[in-house]
Amino acid sequence: KAGVTQTPRYLIKTRGQQVTLSCSPISGHRSVSWYQQTPGQGLQFLFEYFSETQRNKGNFPGRFSGRQFSNSRSEMNVSTLELGDSALYLCASKSRSGFEAFFGQGTRLTVV
Amino acid sequence: TQLLEQSPQFLSIQEGENLTVYCNSSSVFSSLQWYRQEPGEGPVLLVTVVTGGEVKKLKRLTFQFGDARKDSSLHITAAQPGDTGLYLCAGVNSGGGADGLTFGKGTHLIIQP
């Protein structure tokens, strides 16, 4: 079955702009988590959605938000972009009973 | 805040050598996972260890979970260039439920032919 799909793969934005990233989980998976990966901080948890509800949130400012649709697809939005938001944003989906997180290839965001 | 410390941060060795990387925390996790990430890709799960003292083998890779479920190690025997990548450990905070994974910063491993 198809894996986790993230679009777009690459983005370049200007400071102050906003951006929306998309994630389609593995078919049947209802849990979607988002992570930010940077060389300095590594992988940091942003938030998790399950059945359209945010279940947990990491320690990120309110400029980072997300949502999940009824078909389990998820989007995350970053408003008022800062240079420090440049990172690889990874989405992962899990089955209800599984521990394993299946990651997409990520979206590489560059803020200039 | 639960933190996972991985060591070493970088490791470059010759093909055929053995190596061990470590993942340590002051917190207890219900289980711990190891992932490998290659450039341009997302992390891929290698193993999940659940029971304190558990040892799992995956071909040339041996994973161990500490008795107190606070630390783990990954041992690679006879490393090959295909083992090159970023190795990440991740703590699972609850029974696979609502909490996100807590990741270490990873060990960058380079196996030179």
Side-chain angles (χ1 to χ4, degrees):
Chain A
K1 54 185 175 183
V4 177
T5 303
Q6 291 189 246
T7 56
R9 288 292 309 277
Y10 303 94
L11 266 178
I12 299 177
K13 290 286 187 178
T14 304
R15 274 181 300 173
Q17 289 186 313
Q18 74 168 17
V19 67
T20 300
L21 312 181
S22 179
C23 172
S24 294
I26 291 172
S27 178
H29 286 190
R30 294 159 63 188
S31 168
V32 174
S33 299
W34 289 89
Y35 294 84
Q36 181 195 66
Q37 186 175 30
T38 59
Q41 298 300 318
L43 264 157
Q44 293 184 287
F45 173 70
L46 280 157
F47 28 66
E48 179 184 11
Y49 286 87
F50 182 85
S51 293
E52 302 178 67
T53 301
Q54 187 181 90
R55 294 204 298 186
N56 200 20
K57 190 176 191 301
N59 190 24
F60 277 82
R63 298 185 297 107
F64 292 82
S65 63
R67 59 178 175 170
Q68 187 179 33
F69 302 96
S70 58
N71 62 358
S72 294
R73 190 178 71 85
S74 178
E75 290 181 346
M76 68 163 283
N77 184 275
V78 188
S79 62
T80 319
L81 284 165
E82 302 177 358
L83 295 179
D85 297 333
S86 295
L88 180 66
Y89 289 88
L90 291 159
C91 163
S93 75
K94 288 194 298 184
S95 64
R96 184 184 181 90
S97 58
F99 287 96
E100 180 177 0
F102 294 85
F103 283 86
Q105 291 181 299
T107 294
R108 172 73 62 183
L109 172 65
T110 302
V111 182
V112 297
Chain B
T1 303
Q2 296 176 302
L3 295 174
L4 281 167
E5 301 286 340
Q6 288 190 245
S7 61
Q9 188 176 357
F10 296 95
L11 184 59
S12 178
I13 62 172
Q14 295 294 126
E15 181 177 3
E17 294 184 3
N18 301 332
L19 67 109
T20 302
V21 298
Y22 301 92
C23 175
N24 295 293
S25 174
S26 57
S27 303
V28 175
F29 291 95
S30 61
S31 62
L32 200 140
Q33 299 179 329
W34 285 91
Y35 290 80
R36 183 171 74 197
Q37 184 178 19
E38 299 185 21
E41 302 291 331
V44 175
L45 181 69
L46 296 174
V47 76
T48 300
V49 285
V50 180
T51 306
E54 181 177 4
V55 177
K56 281 191 174 180
K57 292 192 175 184
L58 187 67
K59 296 182 181 178
R60 294 177 293 100
L61 278 59
T62 301
F63 304 85
Q64 187 163 5
F65 200 14
D67 290 340
R69 303 205 330 268
K70 292 182 178 181
D71 55 86
S72 181
S73 64
L74 157 60
H75 182 80
I76 301 179
T77 303
Q80 299 177 0
D83 296 327
T84 293
L86 175 65
Y87 288 81
L88 296 157
C89 66
V92 180
N93 300 318
S94 65
D99 296 327
L101 296 169
T102 300
F103 280 89
K105 293 188 179 181
T107 292
H108 294 266
L109 177 62
I110 297 174
I111 309 300
Q112 301 179 23

